[in-house]
Structure formats: structure tokens, C-alpha cells
Amino acid sequence: MSERLRTDALHLGVIALLVVLFLTLPTYYAGNLSRIMVLAIYAIGYNLLFGYTGLLSLGHAMFFAAGMYGYGLTAQLAGWPALPAFALGILAGAALGLVVGALALRTAGVAFMIVTLMFAQSAYLTILYFGTWTRGDEGFVVPGVARVVLGIDLSGETERFVAALILFSLVLLVSGRLVRSRLGRTLVAIRENEERTRMLGYDATRLKLIAITVSAALSGLAGAAYALLFGYVGASFAAVPYSIFPLLWVLLGGAGTTVGPLIGVFFMFYLIDTASGITLAYMLIAGLALVLLTLFAPQGIAGLVRRRVRWLP
Amino acid sequence: MASVTSRPILETRGLTKLYGGLAANTDVDFQLPAGRITALIGPNGAGKSTFVGMVTGRIPATRGQVIFEGRDISALPAHARIGLGMAYTFQITSIFPGLDVRENVALAARRKTDGAHLGAKVGAALARVGLADRADAVAGDLSYGHQRLLEIAMGLAQDPKLFILDEPTQGLAESEVAGFVALIRDLAGETTILLIEHNMDVVMQAADHIVVLDQGMVLASGEPQAIRADRAVQAAYLGTADA
Amino acid sequence: MQFGPHLLLAILEGLVTASILSLTAMGLSLVFGVMRVVNVAHGEAYMLGAVLAWWVTGLIAGHPAAGFVIAAIAAPLIMGALAVASDRLVLKRLNYDPDRTIVATIGLLYIAQQTTLMSFGPDARPVEPPFNQRIALPWLERTEEGWAWFYPWGLSITSYKLFVIAAAALILVAIWLIITRTRAGLLMRATQQDSETAQAFGIPVGTVYSVVFGIGAALAALGAVLVVPIQQAHYLMGGEPLLLSFIVVIIGGLGSLPGTVIAALLIGLSDGIISVFFSPTLAKIIATLLVAMVLVFRPRGLLGKAPA
């Protein structure tokens, strides 16, 4: 199938470009790439739900945090080694997604957004409430032993990049296949016209629950990876801005495209990075971007490209 | 009432819908003969849409049973009923406007067809309704008449045992209506069709069997000629519709 | 202090919270009811109202009451004008599409908050109340000589807080009269019922939307002007009233005005009482989860009518 080949080729090209950037850019920027890739995994997870299924969640930080704390707390308090703790982080994200999804999917539209926002707020407050273990806003540093995988210490710059690249590549390639699969196409159908999809014999509620669970699992993976690679766990990752960021990244990069999330994270990362060098009020950039994007470019960067290149996945 | 010769594919017993205290359908006992084209007619507000909604599961019934191929499906949700072999086209055009025509039909076919046969299946359905050359167009860009044809292609691609068409000719031009009647006649024998229709010319040309609904109850049922001659039907419906 | 006086104090504090909250939530409810827009930036209208009040009172020399009165007029007006401008510049151009307006108002939230951070700074700043006498409250207790009035130590309220309660009640009555008795209210109700039909009957729906959005923000600003002598102005102060207003509007039934007032009393009082007796974080967790559950299982609100 040429379409699938083209998709895979595009994604492999993106991955190759990341490697070239890492090798050629100065250390500071190359170091940022690891962070961008991990956040892009989070954005890909969000995009699966928002961009492909058409469900706008305002509470994804709870899934990111579930992964982060699922990994971090078992490493910190129970002394688990990296891999089982990491797996538990992904599982925690998926499980929370399943539960929240089962409840929130009873609502739709605006109510769905508010319900997800409120669940995320409860999750954030819960982390603060159990401050004895989570250390609240201050957070904690992940013990060094829990950051060693197969004898490799992932706190080194190159090791960290390679680990982030492997995870990101896997997620990008799998998501590329997923959105072209029967499941992925049905999710798009739900986004386009849920009632019609239902009346074609698809169990839309079950499919949306699957979408939330997979999306939450990917977000949890990103959260666990963030803690694993950067060694820090804190409640700010569960707060409202971390629910807004993925929405912003996906809108900027292009909702419903596989490469949009990475593009969005990349641009927003450097925009905010630059702005925070100038002013304390760097989130002003995020606010302006949200308003301008919804007004003038709701399709995002990759969405604009897709007008020319229609096969863009 | 004219006797039904073939085995019914769909049957309802005492199907009733109350909105608040108002009855939209009252104890509808209905039998749909297999393999034929049956038209469900009745004046505005007769409860046709509510009835079909209860059959497909889009509208929960207050009481009563829906039996499809001898199986009581009253408790099944809409998507599961479709999964048993019903196909439904909406009264108000409902397609995937942002996707291309091919993908619209593929979505309908994909539930039952594996990847290898999908292309052929989609192509056949599109050819059947005469949209083969528009397969790459974005569905939302099609003309209204073509969108209604696309809906029928989406129904056909599901290989339905029962194909329910809710007011398919509404809003079509005269020439398009003629094409539609020909298409429906062409499908006779392949599948069972339940046609909800306002246009009496279409009903008389296309249907083998007619059921008249009035004030939420079955008023009459039988061959087109018999229905045309039925005084009660004339009083309730035909007199006004022919005008 | 004993339990009884303690509870009375908690109820009084709760009433103050409820008064401010009912104004803020009324603004959110009005906007949602008429325009079907969920204004996530509503808390920032509150924050800007407080900051504007601080700014205006700083400009006016003389008795604090003079500055306060001018602030109470100016801050809601300025805020209302800003809201009308954002309706015209942003929301209207999005055709009030629910998803896109939510995203855009999140953007407006950050713009308002961060611009305040840049200009007003990160510090909390106080506004002097126009009057502030401490009023000791009596408590009836049984002694050996029978029932007698006492003034337990700590059981008191300020005259300003009593004023807040009275002022909020008056404003709510005024809104009620405007909506039910005036032509402007009629236009709003007609638009709320069915905007397309309203349009067909020649009601300038666009103008009604702008005005309603302005009034919604002005109400939040007015609530903030009232609160700022009790609680200092700060650029992050909009988050809490936004969340509480959401809770109130959801419990009260989306867009129902009487429901909003009842729910505000309920939430304000219980917030006051709960935070006196329990850990505030735990109380918030439980409240937030409960409200989410209300939305999931009773989408029309606890006080809303069941679907026909």
C-alpha cells in the first residue's frame, strides 16, 4: 500500500531529521530536543483524542501526572527499579483514563470539557493533599538507581536523547499506523459525525472509551518518561497549564495530523523559551497563540500543509 | 387487511411511544414482508419517524417489542441492531462531509468487509448509484442530490437484510426522483426495503406493499391498488396529498 | 470559642463568600444562559475588577469611601467595555462555536492574567475599606441565673462585611427586576429562548450578545470591588472564583438564574463552614469531585428540572 509506505517514510524522515539536529546543534539546543520529544509524545496522545476523535479534554494533565507519579512514587517510596516502575506509570495513566472516560463519556461537548477539567483539578489537589509522600508543589528528585535501564544511566545527555528518540519514534510510527487502521478511521468518523457512525453499526461509546484509554496511556508514558529522563517529579505537572499545553501544541501544529504534535511542541517550546528570557509573563505568548490560532488558523501548521498535500497522515 | 404472503423479516408488537402524556405511536402491530419494497406512508405527524426511530433503536420505545428475523431486539442499542443487518438513511442528510466519498462508503462497508475486498465493494456500491467518478471528491462538496445518492451507496455497502430509507426523495429535483425510483426498483429482490415516503407518485411506482399510519396507529395495509381504493385512507391522507 | 458561637461566625463568613460568589456566578450563568458560551476567562474579569479597584482608589485622594464609590462605578464599567471589545474582536468572529470559544477564552484568560503580571506586578495589594467598625455579636447562654446574653471573645463581624451582604442582595434584586420587568431583559430572554427566531423578529442578537457578555464581566468586577477590601488584589486571584462559579452554575442548573442564587448560597455557606472545621484541600477535593459527578449523572443540575 503506497499510502502506508508514504506515511512510514515521512515519519522515518522526521526521526532522521531529529538525529541530524542533535548531532549538529549546540549542546543547549540539542539538550532541549529530548524534552521536546517527550512532550511531543504527550501531544500525540492528546491529539489522538482531540484531533482524531474530536473530544476536547481540559484535564489531560491528570494522565501525564498519573504516569509521572506512578513511576516516580514506586521508585521513590518502594524502591522499584526503572523498568517495572515505568511500566506501572503507563498502566496508571491507562487505568485513570479508563475510569475517567467511563464517567466523562456520559456527557458531551461543553460538559465533557468541564468534567475533565474538574477531575484533573481533583487529581492535582489530591497530590497536594498527600504532600507527605508527594512533597506537593516542591516535588522530589527521582533516586539515581531508578534512572538506570539495562545498565545504562539515562541522566547523561546522549543517553537521554537516545532513550527519548527511541520512545518518540515508537510512538510516532505506531500512531501513524493506528490512525490509518480500521480503529483510527472509525475514530475520525466519530469526530465527523457521531450519530451517522453509530447508525453504521459502530459502538461509538466503546470506541471513544478506547480512544481515551489509549490517549491517557500515551500521556502517562510521556509523564513517566519525563520523570525518568529528567529526574524530577512535581505537582506543577498536574496543574491546569499542563492540561492546556497539549491543546495549544496540537492546535498550533495541526489537529488530526501525525506530525502536527511535534511541530506544535517544537514551536511553542522555543516561543516560550525565548519569551521567558525576556519577561516573567511568558504565558502571555500561550494566551495570544490560543486566541490567534482559533481566530485565524484553526487547522494549525500541518493542517495548512495538508491543503496542498492531501495524503498527509 | 391484505394477507402477507412471505415470512416477515421485521415485526413489531404493541409498539408504543408516549411523549409526556402524548402518544406518538399507539400499539403498532406491524409486519414487514421479506424481499419486497414496503412503503410506510401517512400524513404529517402520523408518527412515521417515531416508529422508524423505535425500530432502529434511535428512539427508546415506551413499551412493545421489535422482532427482527424472529429475534426480539427490543433491548438492543441502535448500533447493535444495525450490526444485525439493518441499514438506515436519515431523513436529514447525514454523511461525513469532511471525508472523501470513497471513505464515506468504506466506513459503511468496513464493519463487514476485510481489507482485501474493501476497494471492490466500495467501487461496486458507488457504481450502483452512479457516483463512481466522484469517489475522490470531498463529500461535503457534492450537490444535495448526490449526497442523498451517497447515503444510499453507504446503505448498500453494508449488504443490509433490511434497508430503511427515511424520506429519501425529500428535496430532490423531478429528474433525480425518477432516477431514484429506478434505483429502488433495481434493488427489489436483493434486499428488503422499508421506504418512508411523502411523495405518492414515488410510493405508487416503487412499492409492492403499503402500510398507512395515521395518528400513531396502523390505519391500513395492503397492495398499492387496494390502498388507493381504501376509503379510510383517502379520507385521512390521499385526498390532501394529491392536491 | 465554643461550638455554637463558632458556627455562627462560620455562617456569617460563609454569607459574605456567598454574596460575592452569587454576583460572580450570576455573570457566568447569564453569559452561558443567553449566549451558550462557557467563558473560561470569567475569573480574570473578577481579578481585573479587583486590580482596577486598587488602581482607582489609589488615584483618588481623601476619604477612602470616595475612592471606593468611584471604583465601584468605574471598575465594572471599564471591565464591561473590555468584555464587549473581546466579544466583538474574538467571540463574534468565531460564530460562538462552543469548542472554539472555550479555547479562545482560555487564551483571553492568559492574556489578561499575564498582562496584569507585567503591569501590576506579582505582589498582592490591599484596598482600604470605606468603613470598618468591628461589631461584637451577642450570644445567648444558660447560666446559673437562667438565660443571659454574652459577648464571646472573637465573635464579631465588621460593618463592611455586613455592607457586602446587603449590597450583593440589592444588586441581585436589581438584576432580577431588569431581566423580568424591562425591555432589555425581554430582549435577553427572547434571545436565550431561541436566538434564530429572535433574529427573525428583528432583535439585534449581536448587540444583545455583546451587552450580555459585558454585563457578565461587569458583575464579576463588581463582586471583586466588594471583596478587595477584605481580600487583597493579586494577579492569580481569578482561579478560585472561576472554579466556584462553575460549581455554582452547574449545581444550580446551567443558565438558570434562581438556581444560581440558591446554589451560590449553598456553596458559599458550606465553603465557609467546611473550611472552618475541615482541611480546606480535602474539602475542595470532595467538592470538585461531587460537582463533576453532578454533571455526569444530573447534567441539568441538582436544582434544574428533569427532561420532559
Side-chain angles (χ1 to χ4, degrees), chain A residues 27 61 75 81 89 162 188 196 203 223 235 241-242 246 259 262 271 274 283:
Chain A
T27 323
V162 173
V188 170
R196 178 72 266 187
D203 187 347
Y242 264 82
V259 290
L262 177 69
L271 264 177
T274 311
M283 279 298 281

Side-chain angles (χ1 to χ4, degrees), chain A residues 58-126:
Chain A
L58 290 179
H60 254 51
M62 66 181 140
F63 306 131
F64 189 82
M68 180 173 253
Y69 281 92
Y71 160 78
L73 284 179
T74 43
Q76 169 88 348
L77 301 174
W80 283 27
L83 280 182
F86 189 75
L88 189 94
I90 302 173
L91 206 65
L96 187 63
L98 190 65
V99 173
V100 167
L103 289 167
L105 281 178
R106 295 174 59 103
T107 67
V110 168
F112 180 83
M113 301 180 204
I114 299 176
V115 166
T116 49
L117 179 77
M118 294 205 147
F119 278 127
Q121 188 65 14
S122 322
Y124 171 65
L125 291 170
T126 306

Side-chain angles (χ1 to χ4, degrees), chain C residues 63-115:
Chain C
H63 194 272
F68 182 81
V69 170
I70 295 175
I73 297 164
L77 279 180
I78 299 174
M79 197 50 238
L82 281 173
V84 169
S86 36
D87 173 67
R88 286 290 156 99
L89 285 173
V90 182
L91 301 186
K92 190 178 182 179
R93 289 167 192 242
L94 298 175
N95 289 323
Y96 303 100
D97 173 83
D99 287 20
R100 291 171 73 198
T101 46
I102 278 208
V103 177
T105 55
I106 294 171
L108 291 175
L109 178 162
Y110 281 115
I111 292 174
Q113 184 194 81
Q114 300 289 310
T115 313

